[in-house]
Amino acid sequence: MELVKGFLLKAVPYTESQSIIYLFTKEEGFMAMITSGINNKRKTILPIMQLCEVEFLRNSRGGLHKLSVIAPVNKASNLNFEIERGTYASLWGNLLATFLREQHADEQLFEYIDKAVELLEGCRDGFVNVTLLFWIRMAGLFGIRPDCDNYEPGMLFNLESGEFVESRAYINGMFLTGPNVAQAIYRFSTIEVEMLGRVKIDFKSFEILLETMMHYYERHFAVKFNRTEIGLILEILRT
């Protein structure tokens, strides 16, 4: 048996007594494991984005490893007890399970996720703001941080280049956002975390910004997010 520490990103039912779980671990990066009856009714169901210690049997041919034991690192997690907070965590996990599928171990990325989850855990509200901050700034870890040096109010955001451009610079075929989305991307890229509560974003604007950033990631990486699954999570958050 081997031991790793990682964030639970997603759990998918496989049989009546088994699930396939996806994790991003400190030691191995992205991992997929099949449970061994762990999801039966007598077992505790862990929340998505929970930091866990995982004991597993490695599949030497790759693919699915066999999970033996999974236990939360911090048992007093707010993700366990608050439905809205936990639903936002599910959104994070769904996005990461797609984006990190080929990701190897990366200590800087692991620490970034750890700090972001801690922020989601600790904030009283503002889950929208924390989610946007997390998703917009994570791009910088992969070399596609929005270039904020030349930003001025009224500019548009070019999804291809990651640059802010003047509206008169529009060229047919460019993938550009409107000025309000560009302003929000700039603000979340540069704001101090302590000032995050001052940003007022309604849920419709949040959905537009999230969709914009999904397009941004899809244009720069070989990923395709599952809009159906994400839509179902957003529908829960709208109610």
Side-chain angles (χ1 to χ4, degrees), residues 18 98 102 138 161:
Q18 291 178 299
T98 298
E102 303 297 329
M138 189 175 70
S161 67

Side-chain angles (χ1 to χ4, degrees), residues 92-190:
W92 290 29
N94 191 292
L95 293 168
L96 289 172
T98 298
F99 179 63
L100 299 180
R101 191 167 293 269
E102 303 297 329
Q103 181 65 40
H104 298 296
D106 185 320
E107 186 172 349
Q108 184 181 17
L109 176 59
F110 187 87
E111 290 179 358
Y112 176 80
I113 295 173
D114 191 27
K115 290 179 180 178
V117 172
E118 183 179 341
L119 187 59
L120 180 64
E121 267 278 313
C123 66
R124 294 185 177 181
D125 49 30
F127 306 130
V128 162
N129 287 359
V130 174
T131 299
L132 291 174
L133 183 80
F134 167 69
W135 196 233
I136 290 172
R137 293 195 177 183
M138 189 175 70
L141 299 179
F142 297 89
I144 58 168
R145 185 188 307 277
D147 182 3
C148 299
D149 292 342
N150 70 331
Y151 175 80
E152 293 181 6
M155 283 184 160
L156 312 180
F157 183 66
N158 186 338
L159 291 171
E160 290 284 353
S161 67
E163 297 175 318
F164 294 97
V165 298
E166 295 181 4
S167 58
R168 65 173 179 270
Y170 172 77
I171 300 174
N172 191 29
M174 274 185 164
F175 293 89
L176 303 174
T177 71
N180 292 333
V181 169
Q183 182 182 44
I185 291 173
Y186 169 77
R187 194 167 189 185
F188 280 105
S189 297
T190 58

Side-chain angles (χ1 to χ4, degrees), residues 1 4 18 22 26 43 45-46 51-52 59 77 86 102 117 127 147 180 188 198 210 216 220 229 233:
M1 291 291 181
V4 292
Q18 291 178 299
Y22 302 103
K26 185 175 184 179
K43 299 290 184 181
I45 299 175
L46 297 175
L51 182 60
C52 303
N59 180 353
S77 170
E102 303 297 329
V117 172
F127 306 130
D147 182 3
N180 292 333
F188 280 105
R198 297 190 180 185
L210 182 67
Y216 188 47
H220 289 271
E229 290 184 359
I233 297 172

